[in-house]
Amino acid sequence: KNEVEQSPQNLTAQEGEFITINCSYSVGISALHWLQQHPGGGIVSLFMLSSGKKKHGRLIATINIQEKHSSLHITASHPRDSAVYICAVRTSNFGNEKLTFGTGTRLTIIP
Amino acid sequence: DAGVIQSPRHEVTEMGQEVTLRCKPISGHNSLFWYRQTMMRGLELLIYFNNNVPIDDSGMPEDRFSAKMPNASFSTLKIQPSEPRDSAVYFCASSFPAGGGAYNEQFFGPGTRLTVL
């Protein structure tokens, strides 16, 4: 079993729909990252969080440390949101920045 | 700021040849990461440096892989000899510490797509 599990693996939705991508992990963590990989291959960091919720524009990320679960939400989705979204965790080992990645969720937004 | 710079962007080589990938981190960042991405295994950390010192190289697959960071603005990942199973996209990323033992987000380079024939 992978340390970081994402669901769904693939998601297709209509423009304007509310999107939720889930990430579950099995290890103790110091932080969780959400990354976006564009169709061209570039990777961008969206959020880094260790508790609660963060919001940036139409994107919202939440984390529940007790349940070892995080969600990434996209409101009013747009075709330009089509990308692979990757969850990554940093374990609790002090001083170690190593990230362990989920396998990604491929999101396609249809106009 | 130019962001993380990687070269070459594409590399095609034959099995057995030496391959060297290069990375220039964002100025002021003191942590540098090398990642490999394949369809089968997704993103994996190969090695990371902090203040030019290798901290975790547990992801380096075998002795054919080596990485160096001779100064704060340059790092190389070398594969010698290369094999077809090394074909992947190799990403370099950098970050700077947030202070108090915390860390910031990582900034990724555009990647090098390596094909070993």
Side-chain angles (χ1 to χ4, degrees), chain A residues 58-105:
Chain A
R58 295 180 294 105
L59 301 177
I60 303 167
T62 64
I63 188 168
N64 185 316
I65 296 295
Q66 287 73 29
E67 295 185 3
K68 292 185 166 61
H69 181 268
S70 175
S71 293
L72 176 68
H73 304 286
I74 305 175
T75 61
S77 59
H78 190 275
R80 65 175 174 266
D81 298 325
S82 298
V84 176
Y85 292 84
I86 302 169
C87 169
V89 300
R90 184 188 307 137
T91 61
S92 298
N93 296 331
F94 180 79
N96 194 322
E97 298 182 68
K98 178 178 179 178
L99 293 180
T100 301
F101 297 87
T103 53
T105 294

Side-chain angles (χ1 to χ4, degrees), chain A residues 14-57:
Chain A
Q14 293 288 333
E15 182 174 355
E17 287 189 38
F18 181 80
I19 303 299
T20 296
I21 298 171
N22 297 298
C23 175
S24 296
Y25 52 92
S26 57
V27 295
I29 70 168
S30 59
L32 182 143
H33 297 244
W34 281 102
L35 309 172
Q36 179 192 54
Q37 186 165 27
H38 300 290
I43 297 175
V44 175
S45 177
L46 297 175
F47 295 103
M48 184 184 71
L49 66 166
S50 55
S51 64
K53 178 170 76 173
K54 286 190 175 181
K55 185 176 188 292
H56 181 70

